[in-house]
Amino acid sequence: MSEACGVDFGTSNSTMGWSRQGQPALLTLEDGKQTLPSVVFFNADENEFSYGRAALSTYLSGYEGRLMRSLKSLLGSGMIDGQTEVGGRALPFRALLTQFIGELKQRGERAAGRRFDSVVLGRPVYFVDDNAAADQLAQDTLEEIARAVGFKEIAFQYEPIAAAFDYESTIDREELVLIADIGGGTSDFSLVRLSPQRAALTERRDDILATGGVHIGGTDFDKYLSLANVMPLLGLGSQLNSNSEVPSSYYFNLATWHTINQIYTRKAWQQLQDVYREVRERDKFARLLDLVEQRAGHWLALQVESAKIGLSEAASFTLELDRLRPAASLQLVRNDFDSSIDHLVETVEQTVTKLLADAGVGADKIDTVFFTGGSSGVHLLRHRIAALVPQARQVEGDLFGSIGAGLALDAARKFS
Ligand SMILES: Nc1ncnc2c1ncn2[C@@H]1O[C@H](COP(=O)(O)OP(=O)(O)OP(=O)(O)O)[C@@H](O)[C@H]1O
Ligand SMILES: [Mg+2]
């Protein structure tokens, strides 16, 4: 039985794992489920916080307050020292992050029936692309937060290495494996040599041939699906009397999970009123104003996300946007989605190509490609990654649990 736990603080979902002989590692965090959506809601009517699914449903049932999702995207960004305000109360982002991770720890400990002082925290290969200082700052911030909630010994592990350890616990012979962890915020990869015998070694440096990653994930797919198909219903791309276009920044903020609340400030509201007077297609822009008044930005993002997920299960999806005034119904086919994210998928492909080149390994040498992370459900992405290693066998892990389970294994080895 391990003295330490693993924590996968994800952009969209979080898990906590504890390695014990003969028992599943993942701990129950909410209503019998092993994931806690990374969401905080401050209910201003009741003056209380809620987390996970409960936070989403409290927000959707119409309480006055503030919802925050994609908190991990704030790490390493200039926004980490910012805040959002509701009903005259300031909610600093750093404090919201600390509260969420503290809640995660408490829930995991309650499920385990014990306290954890030591933790292996997962981290993406890059919190921030092409900026080593900001990336280090992101990890340092996460470490400070972990300390603030009571962890005393803290180690980090790359998420796609954790996933590798999870997959390794299921195989019976040596394999060269490309791990693809496509999450909500980042796409992370590792090329690793795995085997039951090697799993027992404490030093695995020689087995990790390369790691790579890029800050592209499911929240970006939501964003570009929204910008291409949904935001035009609210006036994106429409003309002002001056013949220029409505400023796109409002729509970008509204389509990006971690910046939605920026449109609720008094200043933004003033600006929107000014634009409204100048805009030609008033009906569409009026929808935007009404959405902001309803504080329904996260509702809209959730609808877009459900369309994305719907399009990975079926070739078409009808989005009923019944909270818009006037309401709208949008027929989407998979090709609409694919074309809106094509440029992102291309960048992810380049990341994998570079990783193979870094490792100096021919694509034909790879035995298995292991997919995890919720966004590996996106067809286009899955096919394009698989096509880079055509001879490899495709294996799908527990899309939402592999990282947490692998971190638990790593914690048992690191802290034993
Ligand atoms: N069936 C599906 N098809 C496509 N996308 C999906 C599906 N199910 C979930 N997703 C997306 O997967 C993402 C969440 O995946 P996951 O929980 O692995 O991310 P995370 O671990 O929180 O993020 P990260 O590891 O990047 O910090 C969300 O963007 C969600 O919309
Ligand atoms: Mg993840």
Side-chain angles (χ1 to χ4, degrees):
M1 197 180 290
S2 170
E3 280 305 299
C5 67
V7 167
D8 174 22
F9 169 51
T11 309
S12 306
N13 296 294
S14 296
T15 61
M16 188 158 156
W18 177 32
S19 191
R20 290 151 295 168
Q21 199 71 43
Q23 283 190 65
L26 292 182
L27 296 164
T28 298
L29 299 175
E30 185 180 19
D31 294 337
K33 300 194 171 64
Q34 296 166 330
T35 52
L36 181 67
S38 308
V39 185
V40 182
F41 182 65
F42 172 66
N43 181 336
D45 291 337
E46 311 280 338
N47 199 30
E48 66 189 17
F49 288 90
S50 53
Y51 305 89
R53 294 167 190 84
L56 286 168
S57 76
T58 314
Y59 160 77
L60 287 172
S61 61
Y63 282 97
E64 175 72 13
R66 263 307 165 271
L67 188 76
M68 278 303 302
R69 205 176 170 210
S70 263
L71 285 159
K72 189 180 179 181
S73 307
L74 302 172
L75 291 171
S77 93
M79 279 177 73
I80 185 71
D81 294 314
Q83 60 182 39
T84 180
E85 281 169 33
V86 61
R89 175 167 173 162
L91 302 169
F93 292 132
R94 197 183 286 265
L96 291 173
L97 264 159
T98 307
Q99 251 173 283
F100 180 79
I101 291 174
E103 180 73 19
L104 184 62
K105 179 175 191 279
Q106 259 182 34
R107 288 186 188 210
E109 289 178 339
R110 208 177 306 140
R114 55 158 295 167
R115 209 181 70 199
F116 292 105
D117 292 332
S118 308
V119 64
V120 177
L121 277 166
R123 57 153 294 166
V125 176
Y126 299 106
F127 279 106
V128 185
D129 295 337
D130 307 318
N131 185 340
D135 188 81
Q136 185 62 46
L137 188 62
Q139 181 179 306
D140 293 347
T141 304
L142 188 53
E143 184 170 344
E144 277 164 26
I145 288 171
R147 248 176 243 297
V149 303
F151 286 118
K152 297 189 172 66
E153 283 186 292
I154 299 162
F156 284 91
Q157 180 59 273
Y158 286 139
E159 288 158 11
I161 300 295
F165 293 154
D166 180 47
Y167 175 59
E168 189 169 44
S169 70
T170 68
I171 59 176
D172 53 18
R173 71 187 69 169
E174 185 172 305
E175 294 180 20
L176 184 59
V177 185
L178 173 65
I179 303 284
D181 168 24
I182 321 291
T186 54
S187 294
D188 289 285
F189 300 93
S190 62
L191 185 63
V192 283
R193 196 176 308 285
L194 303 177
S195 79
Q197 292 74 32
R198 287 169 188 269
L201 301 174
T202 42
E203 178 54 63
R204 300 298 301 272
R205 207 169 301 166
D206 291 344
D207 293 335
I208 300 171
L209 282 67
T211 52
V214 64
H215 207 125
I216 291 175
T219 54
D220 302 291
F221 302 151
D222 298 339
K223 173 177 175 174
Y224 284 92
L225 178 62
S226 180
L227 288 170
N229 295 283
V230 178
M231 291 302 164
L233 300 173
L234 283 71
L236 173 63
S238 53
Q239 302 267 307
L240 300 174
N241 290 326
S242 61
N243 287 332
S244 54
E245 269 184 18
V246 171
S248 62
S249 57
Y250 306 114
Y251 302 98
F252 271 80
N253 281 339
L254 204 54
T256 307
W257 281 100
H258 66 282
T259 58
I260 292 172
N261 292 321
Q262 291 186 4
I263 204 164
Y264 301 151
T265 61
R266 206 166 300 147
K267 189 170 151 215
W269 183 249
Q270 284 301 328
Q271 292 173 357
L272 289 171
Q273 299 295 326
D274 294 342
V275 177
Y276 183 60
R277 280 189 285 277
E278 294 297 311
V279 78
R280 289 209 185 120
E281 290 174 277
R282 289 209 158 185
D283 305 5
K284 290 184 181 170
F285 204 81
R287 274 198 184 122
L288 174 66
L289 291 179
D290 179 68
L291 183 93
V292 172
E293 272 198 297
Q294 288 189 60
R295 303 286 186 261
H298 284 90
W299 164 80
L300 186 63
L302 285 163
Q303 305 312 302
V304 173
E305 183 182 18
S306 72
K308 173 191 72 177
I309 292 173
L311 289 169
S312 68
E313 278 142 26
S316 67
F317 189 89
T318 308
L319 198 49
E320 298 295 352
L321 298 170
D322 52 7
R323 283 199 192 183
L324 292 185
R325 282 191 283 244
S329 166
L330 190 64
Q331 268 286 347
L332 292 167
V333 294
R334 192 176 287 154
N335 194 46
D336 295 324
F337 175 52
D338 289 355
S339 54
S340 65
I341 65 163
D342 193 71
H343 64 294
L344 301 173
V345 173
E346 203 174 306
T347 306
V348 175
E349 272 179 312
Q350 286 162 3
T351 304
V352 177
T353 306
K354 180 178 179 299
L355 171 123
L356 296 178
D358 287 348
V361 171
D364 57 331
K365 296 285 182 298
I366 294 166
D367 300 303
T368 306
V369 53
F370 177 80
F371 287 102
T372 184
S375 300
S376 61
V378 172
H379 283 241
L380 181 71
L381 189 67
R382 164 107 56 137
H383 288 145
R384 297 259 286 265
I385 293 171
L388 295 172
V389 286
Q391 271 109 317
R393 186 170 69 104
Q394 291 183 42
V395 175
E396 183 176 286
D398 171 353
L399 295 194
F400 301 99
S402 281
I403 313 296
L407 289 170
L409 282 172
D410 199 35
R413 292 171 194 153
K414 279 201 167 100
F415 290 106
S416 62

